[in-house]
Amino acid sequence: MPTLLPMFLKTFVKKYPKVNLVIEELTTEEIVKKLTDGHIDAALAATPLENETIKERVIYYEPFVAFIPEIHRLHSHKLIDPNDLELDDILLLEDGHCFKSSVINICKAFRQDTSSSFHLESGSFNTLVKLSKENMGMTLLPYLHTLDLPEQDQKYLREFISPAPAREVSLIFHKSQLKMQLIEALKSTIDLSLIHISEP
């Protein structure tokens, strides 16, 4: 929400002034339930969801970028190999965030019996960045979020070797959705806003 929404919201409201937008930030599970119950018309989420009742229109693929503090074992690497990641070494978003599931999927192992004495999950990327700078661990960020980082924090960013791991982000809606004109308008506005973003 903090990165993608500002890119298209003003344009959408100006172009479609009669549309009454009510925007919520929800977990993926809450989104699916509200779409199924008809309480929301559409949503943006990491996909695929593998839910037969939910239709997905892919908007873009967003690369992961590593944020690595100076004393971390991977800080000296110019490019990061996903095989070098250890899940108990990464600060994560809390349960319910689709980004957490994406991170777990690219790590080479998910050990339930982790021996780490420190394990933290946060609801905010900004909190993860601050804790990482305090040498509490590395973290992974979606590419769009790195565009808002202050210049002094750019030195902690590391891209992945090609092909870089990425998450699929889609506009999703229930298969019985009748407001397809609205959904198409929303998708086209987002598509146009993303054209202006340079790839990492």
Side-chain angles (χ1 to χ4, degrees):
M1 182 177 280
T3 51
L4 183 59
L5 192 63
M7 292 181 182
F8 72 87
L9 184 58
K10 189 174 181 180
T11 302
F12 185 86
V13 171
K14 192 177 291 186
K15 193 171 181 180
Y16 304 100
K18 293 183 179 180
V19 175
N20 180 30
L21 279 182
V22 179
I23 299 166
E24 295 180 87
E25 189 168 18
L26 305 165
T27 65
T28 305
E29 185 179 349
E30 290 170 327
I31 286 172
V32 170
K33 186 176 189 315
K34 287 203 169 194
L35 285 173
T36 303
D37 294 344
H39 295 308
I40 59 176
D41 297 317
L44 293 165
T47 51
L49 298 178
E50 297 179 351
N51 185 317
E52 292 182 357
T53 67
I54 303 297
K55 290 197 173 289
E56 303 170 2
R57 296 282 302 278
V58 177
I59 297 174
Y60 64 100
Y61 292 90
E62 184 173 24
F64 291 89
V65 181
F67 189 94
I68 305 177
E70 291 176 352
I71 68 166
H72 194 276
R73 61 187 172 83
L74 298 177
H75 181 77
S76 61
H77 295 215
K78 290 184 178 179
L79 292 172
I80 304 301
D81 186 331
N83 290 314
D84 291 334
L85 298 178
E86 296 285 352
L87 194 61
D88 59 4
D89 194 28
I90 300 175
L91 303 175
L92 294 169
L93 290 177
E94 63 195 12
D95 283 334
H97 285 264
C98 51
F99 195 79
K100 176 182 178 179
S101 299
S102 300
V103 171
I104 290 172
N105 288 338
I106 67 169
C107 287
K108 71 175 184 180
F110 180 41
R111 295 194 296 274
Q112 297 287 353
D113 57 339
T114 175
S115 58
S116 174
S117 60
F118 179 80
H119 184 68
L120 180 134
E121 296 179 359
S122 169
S124 159
F125 284 119
N126 291 334
T127 301
L128 296 181
V129 166
K130 287 177 183 177
L131 288 167
S132 185
K133 287 167 66 177
E134 292 294 325
N135 295 311
M136 303 305 289
M138 66 170 286
T139 193
L140 298 184
L141 301 173
Y143 170 69
L144 290 181
H145 189 84
T146 67
L147 301 179
D148 293 332
L149 289 178
E151 188 176 343
Q152 64 267 27
D153 288 347
Q154 299 289 324
K155 64 183 179 182
Y156 300 114
L157 296 177
R158 298 290 184 275
E159 293 181 9
F160 283 89
I161 60 174
S162 185
R167 65 172 179 170
E168 178 184 273
V169 178
S170 300
L171 182 64
I172 64 173
F173 50 95
H174 195 268
K175 67 178 184 179
S176 65
Q177 178 56 253
L178 300 176
K179 298 180 183 177
M180 289 308 300
Q181 190 174 354
L182 170 64
I183 289 168
E184 291 296 339
L186 190 56
K187 185 177 186 307
S188 64
T189 305
I190 297 171
D191 286 344
L192 284 173
S193 69
L194 290 170
I195 289 173
H196 304 295
I197 300 171
S198 59
E199 290 294 323

